[in-house]
């Protein structure tokens, strides 16, 4: 691109990114393609290099806390395009965006047109000031920017045809359902058992029913909707176990668990390099008691006298004083096998439970449709809930997850991503 002006180079990069996302199957509609070619992304990240701004798969952090944790970010073009496709925005719609930055609000403003209305809300004045400034520069001053805690929505402009949440949410507060028209869509990065999925949910009365989902990562919700996981630190921080929902009652039973000799079980289930594994993650999370995530510091682990083996997948489970995690091992070429590494005084039963669920996933759900999500108010009586394979209770809602029966390919949710997470 030598000899081109910055504006010309930005246009070329923007069109290249859209072309890549079309080829990847993320951009499916002419309307999403048009807005992503039209809106200058670089206006909303002036501090970043143009190549980084238009990198298709990675977002840009725009604010961190004192510990370096991301508080606000510009989502990757891939994530923004997919959420826009999920939301099915039409001209004239009223849309609420929860979590600001300006870029996505500009896309939404283009899609709803002059007869529609876009409201974007954020809890951080740094973010809303930045959003207002960038939207004005880009020519989208008709977007309403609100500084507020989005736990309560924005009732002044409700009801909305669409609500798009662009921050990771552990729960679905009542205001989001109440401020959505019946039949409207809520698109939210919902965290269940520590696993985040961007789920498109249709309002049916007082419940939400999923129609699509995809694995993505977003910065966490702040304010009243914030949620802290429980962590157990092992080997001086080389290994951490993360429990996003109800942790075991006595985590002290796991002290020293990694000092046991590991039991390694080959499940017989497999993957290929580059194959999506989002359904495997969620299957384990909804079928294995004691499910948690395991975070391994690579350098500290390798320096340990007894490093944990295998290629770590981040999936684990605990049972009393026993711990098991899932790892992959190269078989040759692009083929991987899934192993269970188990530790503790009596690891055999836990290892076999995890291995068996990997086999079931491999047999019945590998490469197939993912689960359906239903969201009900937390006060809904048990007898009014439909049958489900897994139910998790949160502060405001109960999330029900159901898997398609083997042989039934008419699933609601397809979870896919070009890379392992």
């Amino acid at each position: 691109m030598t000899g081109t002006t910055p504006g010309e180079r930005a246009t070329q990069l923007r069109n290249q990114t859209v072309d890549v996302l079309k080829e990847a199957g993320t951009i499916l509609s002419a309307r999403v393609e048009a807005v992503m070619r039209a809106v200058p992304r670089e206006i909303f990240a002036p501090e970043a290099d143009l190549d980084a701004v238009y990198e298709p798969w990675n977002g840009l952090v725009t604010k961190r806390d004192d510990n370096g944790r991301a508080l606000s970010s510009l989502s990757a073009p891939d994530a923004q395009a997919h959420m826009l496709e999920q939301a099915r925005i039409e001209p004239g719609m009223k849309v609420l965006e929860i979590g600001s930055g300006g870029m996505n609000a500009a896309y939404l403003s283009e899609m709803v047109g002059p007869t529609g209305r876009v409201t974007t809300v954020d809890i951080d004045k740094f973010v809303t000031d930045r959003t207002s400034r960038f939207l004005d520069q880009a020519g989208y001053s008709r977007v309403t920017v609100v500084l507020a805690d989005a736990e309560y929505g924005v009732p002044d402009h409700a009801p909305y045809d669409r609500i798009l949440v662009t921050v990771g949410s552990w729960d679905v507060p009542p205001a989001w359902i109440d401020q959505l028209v019946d039949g409207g869509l809520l698109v939210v990065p919902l965290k269940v058992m520590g696993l985040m999925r961007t789920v498109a949910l249709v309002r049916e009365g007082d419940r939400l029913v999923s129609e699509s989902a995809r694995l993505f990562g977003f910065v966490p919700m702040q304010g009243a909707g914030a949620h802290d996981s429980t962590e157990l630190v092992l080997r001086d921080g080389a290994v951490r176990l993360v429990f996003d929902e109800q942790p075991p009652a006595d985590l002290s039973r796991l002290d020293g668990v990694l000092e046991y000799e590991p039991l390694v079980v080959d499940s017989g289930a497999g993957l290929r390099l580059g194959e999506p594994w989002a359904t495997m993650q969620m299957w384990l999370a909804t079928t294995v008691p004691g499910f948690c995530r395991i975070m391994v510091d690579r350098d500290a682990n390798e320096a340990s006298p007894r490093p944990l083996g295998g290629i770590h997948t981040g999936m684990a489970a605990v049972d009393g004083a026993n711990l098991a995690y899932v790892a992959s091992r190269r078989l040759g070429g692009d083929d991987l096998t899934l192993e269970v590494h188990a530790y503790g005084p009596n690891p055999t039963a836990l290892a076999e439970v995890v291995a068996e669920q990997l086999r079931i996933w491999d047999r019945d759900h590998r490469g197939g449709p993912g689960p359906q999500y239903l969201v009900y108010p937390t006060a809904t009586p048990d007898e009014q809930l439909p049958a489900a394979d897994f139910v998790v209770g949160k502060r405001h809602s109960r999330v029900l997850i159901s898997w398609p029966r083997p042989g039934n390919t008419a699933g609601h949710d397809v979870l896919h991503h070009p890379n392992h997470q």
Side-chain angles (χ1 to χ4, degrees):
M1 298 184 186
T2 304
T4 60
T5 67
E8 291 170 337
R9 184 163 179 263
T11 299
Q12 290 174 324
L13 288 170
R14 189 179 315 128
N15 287 326
Q16 285 181 10
T17 296
V18 172
D19 291 341
V20 167
L21 296 179
K22 285 184 64 180
E23 185 177 351
T26 303
I27 294 178
L28 301 171
S29 67
R31 299 193 68 238
V32 171
E33 177 184 352
V35 300
M36 294 200 72
R37 291 195 191 277
V39 181
R41 184 175 171 86
E42 65 275 11
I43 289 178
F44 300 91
E47 62 276 273
D49 179 79
L50 272 178
D51 289 308
V53 169
Y54 284 104
E55 207 288 324
W57 316 114
N58 295 325
L60 296 169
V61 176
T62 55
K63 184 179 181 180
R64 297 183 185 272
D65 65 13
D66 294 339
N67 297 317
R69 186 179 67 128
L71 295 177
S72 183
S73 68
L74 176 64
S75 298
D78 175 53
Q80 291 179 319
H82 184 77
M83 289 188 77
L84 292 174
E85 293 286 6
Q86 282 185 293
R88 297 188 281 110
I89 306 295
E90 297 292 340
M93 283 186 168
K94 291 172 63 177
V95 181
L96 172 64
E97 180 195 31
I98 293 175
S100 291
M103 179 78 256
N104 205 54
Y107 289 146
L108 293 170
S109 184
E110 281 277 351
M111 296 186 80
V112 302
T115 61
R117 179 168 193 167
V118 176
T119 302
T120 182
V121 58
D122 201 282
I123 197 172
D124 190 333
K125 189 174 186 299
F126 167 86
V127 174
T128 55
D129 286 350
R130 179 184 170 100
T131 297
S132 296
R133 184 169 69 253
F134 294 158
L135 285 170
D136 286 344
Q137 290 176 14
Y140 297 98
S141 55
R142 65 178 180 268
V143 173
T144 302
V145 182
V146 177
L147 174 65
D149 190 331
E151 175 87 351
Y152 310 104
V154 182
D156 290 349
H157 305 305
Y160 302 98
D161 301 291
R162 301 287 188 266
I163 298 177
L164 275 71
V165 184
T166 60
V167 289
S169 180
W170 181 77
D171 202 356
V172 179
W176 297 359
I177 301 176
D178 294 342
Q179 293 175 23
L180 187 66
V181 301
D182 203 34
L185 270 173
L186 167 68
V187 182
V188 55
L190 185 62
K191 204 172 186 183
V192 177
M193 300 300 289
L195 305 178
M196 189 175 293
R197 302 290 184 266
T198 299
V199 188
L201 297 151
V202 181
R203 180 179 179 182
E204 295 183 355
D206 63 353
R207 75 171 189 170
L208 301 169
V209 181
S210 71
E211 65 174 29
S212 66
R214 186 177 176 184
L215 186 157
F216 276 119
F218 286 80
V219 297
M221 185 77 67
Q222 300 178 56
H227 174 74
D228 292 325
S229 301
T230 299
E231 291 193 5
L232 175 64
V233 177
L234 301 172
R235 287 190 175 169
D236 298 322
V239 178
R240 292 180 294 126
L241 301 183
V242 184
F243 301 87
D244 199 59
E245 308 292 346
Q246 186 66 38
D250 186 4
L251 287 174
S252 66
R253 296 183 66 187
L254 291 164
D255 290 345
V257 66
L258 296 178
E259 303 315 307
Y260 286 88
E261 192 68 28
L263 169 66
V264 180
V265 176
D266 188 340
S267 71
L271 284 170
R272 290 181 65 81
L273 285 175
E275 178 184 353
W277 60 11
T279 56
M280 183 266 281
Q281 294 175 318
M282 191 60 74
W283 178 259
L284 292 182
T286 56
T287 60
V288 175
F291 176 87
C292 62
R293 290 175 294 138
I294 183 168
M295 316 294 285
V296 180
D297 183 304
R298 181 178 299 179
D299 293 338
N301 181 55
E302 290 177 354
S304 171
R306 302 177 65 184
L308 273 62
I311 305 169
H312 304 291
T313 67
M315 304 296 103
V318 300
D319 178 15
N322 304 296
L323 163 67
Y325 68 86
V326 179
S328 61
R329 178 171 54 84
R330 293 286 293 270
L331 292 176
D334 291 339
D335 291 324
L336 304 170
T337 188
L338 294 171
E339 296 178 334
V340 180
H341 294 231
Y343 294 78
N346 299 290
T348 305
L350 178 60
E352 185 50 40
V353 166
V354 177
E356 178 60 16
Q357 292 305 327
L358 287 169
R359 295 181 197 113
I360 294 172
W361 166 80
D362 187 66
R363 183 190 69 211
D364 296 338
H365 300 287
R366 181 181 177 184
Q372 183 183 59
Y373 302 75
L374 298 175
V375 179
Y376 283 80
T378 192
T380 306
D382 289 348
E383 60 270 17
Q384 294 182 18
L385 296 176
D389 296 316
F390 182 82
V391 180
V392 60
K394 297 177 178 286
R395 187 181 306 124
H396 300 300
S397 65
R398 301 175 81 177
V399 180
L400 285 64
I401 296 179
S402 295
W403 290 84
R405 302 281 73 84
N408 176 15
T409 59
H412 291 260
D413 301 358
V414 179
L415 296 112
H416 56 101
H417 199 274
N419 301 304
H420 286 321
Q421 296 298 304

